[in-house]
Amino acid sequence: MLTKRCNSAMLTSLEHSHHTLDPIKKKTKKQGFDRVPHKRKKLSARERRQLKLFKIDPEQQKYSLYVPMHETWVEYMKDIIDFEKFDPSNKAAMDSLLKADYHGCKLTVSQSKCPSYVSQTGIVVQESKNTFTLISTDNRVRVIPKAHSIFTFTLSGHRFTIYGNHFLVNSAERVVKKFKSRPMVDL
């Protein structure tokens, strides 16, 4: 009987009050180093220039060092395009040429607004948004602007023309970009 009274008394007290089953943990502030580190800040253009990240060392400015790179590029292009069945009217083949990487390509400047760039030939060592950096057979590095220039290269007996105004995009961004056909005004 006593247990029934105790149980009923406990039930009435439990009905009218709120109880948590788990103990409440106090939140503590995390101190200094326990936080997740922030993303690192990217280098500014000035810092990249000061570190000379994109400058080619004079010891590396030899045409013979880049000839194997050109041979590798030729094999890469042959893998992309089957030249035995190549048809210039094939849109898929032209799209793959637009999106290809041109590091190692032997380019010639066929037309340019600046006459001193015309007939410059070399292997593409670097490509930026606005320029091609070429190394020529006389071991000189030349930076040629893409804007207002027309470039040509020969591959497996086919001659290809690149309009620099259409290529004013980083090579990595060119892979995902959709190209629209635009008329080219003569220089």
Side-chain angles (χ1 to χ4, degrees):
M1 200 75 183
L2 183 62
T3 57
K4 284 186 178 180
R5 258 191 271 147
C6 288
N7 285 339
S8 64
M10 272 201 319
L11 284 174
T12 56
S13 68
L14 287 176
E15 286 177 4
H16 300 293
S17 64
H18 299 283
H19 298 283
T20 58
L21 299 176
D22 294 329
I24 298 175
K25 294 181 181 177
K26 291 185 179 179
K27 292 183 180 178
T28 58
K29 289 185 179 179
K30 291 187 177 181
Q31 304 255 338
F33 295 107
D34 293 343
R35 285 194 249 156
V36 177
H38 293 289
K39 286 186 177 178
R40 289 189 165 201
K41 183 184 162 223
K42 294 181 180 178
L43 292 175
S44 66
R46 177 178 290 152
E47 291 169 335
R48 280 181 275 171
R49 276 194 303 270
Q50 288 172 349
L51 291 172
K52 299 177 182 175
L53 292 179
F54 299 111
K55 188 169 176 142
I56 300 170
D57 293 333
E59 302 90 40
Q60 301 295 321
Q61 294 181 3
K62 295 180 181 160
Y63 183 81
S64 61
L65 293 175
Y66 296 98
V67 171
M69 183 176 163
H70 172 66
E71 293 167 357
T72 305
W73 179 81
V74 170
E75 292 301 316
Y76 159 72
M77 290 303 285
K78 286 181 180 177
D79 288 344
I80 289 178
I81 299 170
D82 185 15
F83 285 103
E84 293 174 5
K85 301 175 187 175
F86 180 72
D87 182 20
S89 62
N90 185 355
K91 187 172 178 353
M94 290 300 130
D95 284 346
S96 60
L97 274 174
L98 282 172
K99 296 178 181 198
D101 185 17
Y102 287 95
H103 290 91
C105 175
K106 194 179 285 187
L107 282 182
T108 302
V109 182
S110 58
Q111 290 182 358
S112 180
K113 248 186 177 177
C114 181
S116 63
Y117 292 137
V118 177
S119 76
Q120 297 289 327
T121 302
I123 296 174
V124 177
V125 179
Q126 290 178 341
E127 180 184 356
S128 69
K129 180 179 180 180
N130 297 313
T131 63
F132 281 120
T133 304
L134 306 176
I135 187 158
S136 60
T137 54
D138 60 348
N139 296 330
R140 291 189 58 201
V141 175
R142 293 181 171 91
V143 179
I144 312 285
K146 291 179 185 178
H148 310 296
S149 297
I150 298 175
F151 304 93
T152 58
F153 67 92
T154 305
L155 191 60
S156 296
H158 298 279
R159 186 178 195 143
F160 297 96
T161 303
I162 297 174
Y163 292 94
N165 289 340
H166 295 181
F167 268 67
L168 292 175
V169 181
N170 286 333
S171 60
E173 294 172 6
R174 195 171 58 232
V175 174
V176 294
K177 183 177 176 172
K178 291 185 178 179
F179 285 94
K180 297 177 182 175
S181 60
R182 294 186 281 170
M184 179 66 183
V185 179
D186 280 341
L187 301 174

